[in-house]
Amino acid sequence: MAFEKLNLFGDEGSAAPPKKATSMNKMVELTGTVNAVFFESPTSLFKVVLIDVVDQDFDWKEPQIVVTGNMAEVQEGS
């Protein structure tokens, strides 16, 4: 089983200083497998994907989660 670590909510690699975490806006980490890509914008990196959750550092009890945002290339099953 292949896993890809995606920084979905942070500014890693950005020239801007990291944002200060608050109770409403903090960095969280999710590890899983891309089950399906529901939408990919043809003009940007925006995607809507379904992830089979393997591990997370936030309160989540479901086996899957839908994630939206700007992501580099992702493939189902990775």
Side-chain angles (χ1 to χ4, degrees), residues 5-48:
K5 187 173 181 180
L6 300 173
N7 182 8
L8 302 174
F9 306 106
D11 293 325
E12 190 173 294
S14 171
K19 294 178 183 172
K20 200 171 202 177
T22 67
S23 60
M24 296 295 290
N25 181 24
K26 71 174 191 169
M27 175 96 63
V28 295
E29 190 169 304
L30 168 71
T31 303
T33 303
V34 178
N35 182 296
V37 179
F38 295 133
F39 173 80
E40 289 184 75
S41 170
T43 59
S44 71
L45 296 175
F46 185 82
K47 294 174 183 56
V48 179

Side-chain angles (χ1 to χ4, degrees), residues 30-33 51-56 58 60 62-65:
L30 168 71
T31 303
T33 303
I51 304 292
D52 292 332
V53 177
V54 174
D55 191 30
Q56 74 285 337
F58 55 96
W60 187 259
E62 301 297 321
Q64 297 178 317
I65 188 170

